[in-house]
């Protein structure tokens, strides 16, 4: 594994403004969102709105990723994604969600998820996950991907490649009538072939008008995940694989989650709608 020094918190820039004409999610300015009481199966109209949100989120992710290079700050990546979403009439879903201060998550190297963009400078050999969610038309679209920064060691490159493949395999496993645990079973069995850890305490989730609906999508074979997959369900799959343990520590900021052994980790995510025969990815650019 790369001999990079471990990550430390940087300095936050001021909160980025969102034009007043852009609709905010209901949780903005509140300590927590209102619990979702609606169905997990969505109407065709909601799914169509989610296609729009998903497309904007995917394109914002791609725009920010174009800047990834040694010497660029994670705050600069946040700026690009923020401006793209606002320019396209979308609200950055993470901004103000339970107090999160930025418009995407930037998770470097040993950070499993929820890294906060700041003055941290990308270094040659890093890997970085960008997690972008857009809110427009009353619904959310959520996606993330892990990228290589400059020349990356082979162990890290393979981790990234295989984590992407685990998501692809999980998406193919989604079929109406199967239980949700088929998703985690596919991911975990693939990850075990390479000795990777599979993060358990951070999961995929139901998504629609709610950022997190309450539906849980484990990425390991959880026998309690017996919810039956139905056409019209919308949720994310977002496996987090590690080079070591799946156990973690959390920084004092209450968000940044790092592997307990500080080994590297990668993640990929799409938002899906279940169809009569499988799943459609809603977060395609």
């Amino acid at each position: 594994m790369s001999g990079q020094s471990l990550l430390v918190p940087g300095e936050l820039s001021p909160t980025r403004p969102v034009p007043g004409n852009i609709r905010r999610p209901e949780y903005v300015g509140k300590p927590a969102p209102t619990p979702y009481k609606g169905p997990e199966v969505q109407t065709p109209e909601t799914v169509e709105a989610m296609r729009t949100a998903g497309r904007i989120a995917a394109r914002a992710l791609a725009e920010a990723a174009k800047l990834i290079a040694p010497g660029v700050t994670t705050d600069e990546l946040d700026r690009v994604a923020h401006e793209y979403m606002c320019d396209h009439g979308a609200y950055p879903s993470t901004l103000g969600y339970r107090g999160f201060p930025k418009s995407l998550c930037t998770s470097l190297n040993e950070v499993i998820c929820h890294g906060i963009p700041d003055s941290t400078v990308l270094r040659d050999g890093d890997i970085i996950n960008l997690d972008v969610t857009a809110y427009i038309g009353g619904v959310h679209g959520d996606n993330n991907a892990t990228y290589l920064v400059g020349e990356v060691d082979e162990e890290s490159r393979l981790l990234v490649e295989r984590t992407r493949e685990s998501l692809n395999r999980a998406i193919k496993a989604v079929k109406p009538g199967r239980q949700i645990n088929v998703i985690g079973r596919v991911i975990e069995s693939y990850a075990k072939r390479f000795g990777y850890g599979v993060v358990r305490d951070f999961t995929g989730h139901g998504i629609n008008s709610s950022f997190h609906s309450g539906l849980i999508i484990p990425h390991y074979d959880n026998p309690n995940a017996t919810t039956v997959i139905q056409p019209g369900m919308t949720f994310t799959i977002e496996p987090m694989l590690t080079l070591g343990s799946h156990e973690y520590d959390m920084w004092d900021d209450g968000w940044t989650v790092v592997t307990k052994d500080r080994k590297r980790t990668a993640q990929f995510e799409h938002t899906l709608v279940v169809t009569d025969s499988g799943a459609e990815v809603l977060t395609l650019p």
Side-chain angles (χ1 to χ4, degrees):
M1 189 183 78
S2 170
Q4 298 276 38
S5 58
L6 297 179
L7 195 66
V8 296
E11 295 183 6
L12 288 180
S13 64
T15 300
R16 292 192 160 85
V18 177
N21 64 317
I22 292 178
R23 178 179 173 184
R24 271 74 167 155
E26 60 83 23
Y27 53 74
V28 174
K30 295 161 56 175
T34 302
Y36 178 70
K37 302 291 188 181
E40 298 298 345
V41 172
Q42 303 304 309
T43 65
E45 293 76 18
T46 297
V47 172
E48 186 57 36
M50 290 181 68
R51 286 192 183 94
T52 298
R55 189 179 309 118
I56 291 172
R59 290 176 178 171
L61 176 66
E63 285 300 307
K66 289 178 183 177
L67 268 72
I68 291 174
V72 174
T73 65
T74 56
D75 187 66
E76 181 68 2
L77 302 176
D78 180 79
R79 181 191 65 79
V80 172
H82 177 94
E83 291 179 357
Y84 186 92
M85 285 184 273
C86 291
D87 287 348
H88 291 81
Y91 185 91
S93 300
T94 60
L95 184 61
Y97 179 78
R98 297 183 181 273
F100 192 85
K102 293 296 175 181
S103 298
L104 82 165
C105 300
T106 50
S107 300
L108 270 161
N109 298 337
E110 69 269 20
V111 180
I112 294 171
C113 57
H114 304 159
I116 301 175
D118 58 19
S119 61
T120 298
V121 175
L122 300 184
R123 304 164 298 180
D124 188 64
D126 283 340
I127 61 173
I128 182 170
N129 178 273
L130 306 185
D131 192 337
V132 178
T133 310
Y135 178 79
I136 188 171
V139 297
H140 301 267
D142 186 3
N143 67 163
N144 75 54
T146 302
Y147 301 90
L148 311 182
V149 183
E151 294 296 322
V152 175
D153 66 272
E154 182 72 356
E155 185 179 39
S156 298
R157 186 190 67 77
L158 285 172
L159 173 69
V160 171
E161 180 182 300
R162 290 164 176 167
T163 305
R164 182 191 293 112
E165 176 62 15
S166 77
L167 172 59
N168 292 339
R169 290 176 180 232
I171 292 171
K172 290 176 183 176
V174 174
K175 305 285 183 187
R178 292 180 172 176
Q179 294 182 341
I180 288 291
N181 63 1
V182 71
I183 294 168
R185 188 179 311 130
V186 166
I187 293 167
E188 187 173 41
S189 63
Y190 180 71
K192 279 185 173 179
R193 289 166 49 181
F194 311 105
Y196 296 153
V198 181
V199 173
R200 293 176 168 235
D201 290 350
F202 299 90
T203 67
H205 52 90
I207 184 170
N208 38 66
S209 60
S210 173
F211 195 171
H212 299 85
S213 73
L215 176 66
I216 301 300
I217 312 296
H219 301 124
Y220 66 100
D221 188 4
N222 183 343
N224 297 316
T226 56
T227 300
V228 175
I229 298 170
Q230 301 176 59
M233 276 185 165
T234 49
F235 53 81
T236 72
I237 304 175
E238 44 189 298
M240 292 151 263
L241 305 187
T242 70
L243 289 176
S245 170
H246 68 268
E247 296 181 347
Y248 66 92
D249 294 320
M250 186 175 288
W251 281 6
D252 291 342
D253 61 23
W255 284 105
T256 307
V257 179
V258 296
T259 54
K260 187 170 282 291
D261 56 15
R262 303 304 190 263
K263 292 187 176 180
R264 287 187 168 188
T265 175
Q267 181 184 17
F268 284 84
E269 174 186 24
H270 276 307
T271 295
L272 316 172
V273 59
V274 181
T275 66
D276 290 335
S277 58
E280 175 193 347
V281 176
L282 298 176
T283 38
L284 292 176

